[in-house]
Amino acid sequence: MISRKLTPSKLRTLLTLSPFTTYTYTKPISNPITNPPKIPNLLNPTKTLASQFPIFRPFSSIPPLPLTRDGNYDETTSQTLQICPGCGITMQDSDPKKPGFFIKPTIKDSNYKIPIDRNPVLDETQIPDSVKKGFLIESGQDSINPNPKTVEKPVVCARCHSLRNYGRVKDQTVENLLPDFDFDHTVGRRLNSASGNRTVVVMVVDAVDFDGSFPRKVAELVSNTIDVNSRAWKEGKSGNLPRIVLVVTKIDLLPTSISPTGFEYWVRTRAREGGANKLTKVHLVSAVKNWGLKDLADDMVSLAGPRGHVWVIGAQNAGKSTLINAMGKCVGGRMSVLTEAPVPGTTLGIVRVEGVLPGQAKLFDTPGLLHPHQITTRLTRDEQKLVHITKELKPRTYRIKAGHSVHIAGLMRLDIEETSVDTIYVTVWASPNLPLHMGKTEKASTMVEEHFGLQLQPPIGKQRVEELGRWVKKEFRVRGNWWDSSCVDIAAAGLGWFAIGLKGEALLGVWTYEGVDVTLRDAVIPLRSHNFEVTGFTVSKIVSKADKSLNKQRHNEKKRKVADAEMKATTTAAL
């Protein structure tokens, strides 16, 4: 209404007042009745007025938080920046679409969990004695902690909260904003240092995926550092000699009949072939069963000394954070719990863990190393659940002749091409959730077209078969000296392995997706099953569900054909 009564000149004057600026009125106000103000002037006392609209700052003077994965290695960094104690990422509360977002918890009263007495006053049968005697409840008494033993939970980022409570990442798009973890720049240069604190490198390896999770580059880097600094130390120069401790986790997933002494010898042999030729200690542990944790903690304390640095390094999902949390409970230290989840790459930055090592010694949890040669890196979350081993492995053994093949889901295939004997024994060591199939090699090509993505999962769905990449073949010539137990293994990184038992020679072809590492090694578990699998699919929920869906589809197709035939016959009779 005001704009209709104003002239164009006065309206132009009014529009020059921008709502995004502040303005000051310095002329005193006259009597609004005798001398009404003009429209351009403002009916306010002499003061500076702020805009009623939000102030937009396209160029902020506050620099954005650095998006790094260095974590809280330096104490100065932890004082200036807030680091998530669960994953090590720099925390921020301004943008939920960026990594490290967290919500400040609201301050609650100490008695907020006490149930409220909802009975009205008139229903009380008598006056309380405290009121009769005139006792007053001081305000300070309400703030006493009723349970002083409870430890205040640390504030973690939204990603850690989602992983801890729901087992999944809340926003997958935020993961793409994270920079790659540069191990050589962040940790490698500290391990290469010839001076400084004593260094202990704890390499964590998965027992059921040893070759796939073994950090070869780290082993070679630390071994070379030991050689170089050892020569410098002998020449009288400063030389920091790192100690390498190899920790094999998840040994509770191996069969209980395996020999610990034989398994440790096998581990040392494989580690030496992988580049770790300067091992100080080897520990076989289980964070779930608390096996070997006390001995591991004692060795770490003795090797680190009063001011040493202990670096826990391993592949993604090898169990580093779970191991540290279990060690903290074992030694009884007061430490913030690291985030654990069956999701690869849970830890994002370096996390300095307090309460495990005494004195000024420091323990660091590092982000998992990405091993692209593991098949799990290209699988979806649902497919990873099928591949992930959570229970003790059970052998599934076939007695096979030449010209036959064995599939592990739609991820790996073994062809028996030539043998010097009639039959050989093939034992599959993989997740029990993965279906198997044994049949003739000449029909193996049709398996990809007809059963991959259906009876043979993962991949889940036909479209995922092409997304996983090209199907390639590798050949191995193996030799064995006995029938009763397995002689050699053919392992696929991140999946499992075939154990071969024979007394003679055989030429084997192994098919899997391009880029997946396939290794020939000595058998880690020599035993096999006494009950043999039969030809065809193994009984599993995946196969049953796929068969049910296929039978239903065939039934509907048959029903449709019968209906079309009846309709055609009715039309013909009507004519």
Side-chain angles (χ1 to χ4, degrees), residues 451-465:
H451 300 290
F452 271 36
L454 298 176
Q455 283 89 346
L456 294 177
Q457 295 182 9
I460 301 177
K462 285 289 188 180
Q463 70 282 358
R464 287 284 298 148
V465 178

Side-chain angles (χ1 to χ4, degrees), residues 128-138 141:
D129 295 337
S130 60
V131 178
K132 291 180 180 179
K133 296 179 181 180
F135 291 159
L136 298 178
I137 299 176
E138 298 293 338
Q141 297 179 2

Side-chain angles (χ1 to χ4, degrees), residues 415-573:
D415 295 343
I416 313 300
E417 298 181 355
E418 299 176 4
T419 59
S420 61
V421 292
D422 293 337
T423 58
I424 66 174
Y425 295 95
V426 177
T427 303
V428 178
W429 296 97
S431 171
N433 299 323
L434 297 178
L436 307 179
H437 179 271
M438 193 267 282
K440 293 185 178 181
T441 305
E442 59 186 18
K443 298 181 180 180
S445 58
T446 61
M447 298 292 295
V448 179
E449 302 174 359
E450 298 180 0
H451 300 290
F452 271 36
L454 298 176
Q455 283 89 346
L456 294 177
Q457 295 182 9
I460 301 177
K462 285 289 188 180
Q463 70 282 358
R464 287 284 298 148
V465 178
E466 298 180 359
E467 295 175 359
L468 287 179
R470 193 163 57 96
W471 198 244
V472 295
K473 176 186 177 182
K474 293 183 179 180
E475 288 189 347
F476 299 95
R477 184 171 293 277
V478 299
R479 181 181 293 104
N481 298 323
W482 51 83
W483 300 96
D484 299 337
S485 58
S486 300
C487 306
V488 294
D489 292 341
I490 300 178
L495 177 60
W497 66 94
F498 291 107
I500 313 299
L502 77 163
K503 190 175 182 180
E505 295 183 359
L507 178 63
L508 308 178
V510 180
W511 294 80
T512 186
Y513 294 97
E514 187 177 12
V516 178
D517 192 14
V518 179
T519 307
L520 180 67
R521 67 191 187 190
D522 292 336
V524 57
I525 306 176
L527 61 90
R528 56 179 172 82
S529 176
H530 297 289
N531 299 322
F532 297 148
E533 302 289 337
V534 297
T535 305
F537 293 99
T538 57
V539 179
S540 66
K541 294 182 179 180
I542 296 177
V543 176
S544 300
K545 185 177 180 180
D547 287 342
K548 184 178 179 180
S549 177
L550 184 60
N551 292 335
K552 184 177 180 180
Q553 182 180 358
R554 291 176 178 174
H555 177 72
N556 293 337
E557 183 70 18
K558 184 178 180 180
K559 188 177 180 180
R560 185 183 62 81
K561 291 182 179 179
V562 172
D564 292 344
E566 291 179 353
M567 183 178 293
K568 185 177 181 180
T570 304
T571 305
T572 305

Side-chain angles (χ1 to χ4, degrees), residues 209-231:
D209 186 24
F210 187 90
D211 293 281
S213 62
F214 187 81
R216 295 178 179 270
K217 292 184 178 180
V218 177
E220 295 174 357
L221 172 66
V222 180
S223 298
N224 294 335
T225 302
I226 293 175
D227 293 337
V228 174
N229 293 351
S230 176
R231 290 192 296 267

Side-chain angles (χ1 to χ4, degrees), residues 146-168:
N147 190 5
K149 295 184 179 180
T150 57
V151 181
E152 183 180 357
K153 294 182 179 180
V155 180
V156 297
C157 65
R159 179 180 181 272
C160 286
H161 177 78
S162 179
L163 287 173
R164 292 182 177 187
N165 294 275
Y166 308 106
R168 59 182 178 84

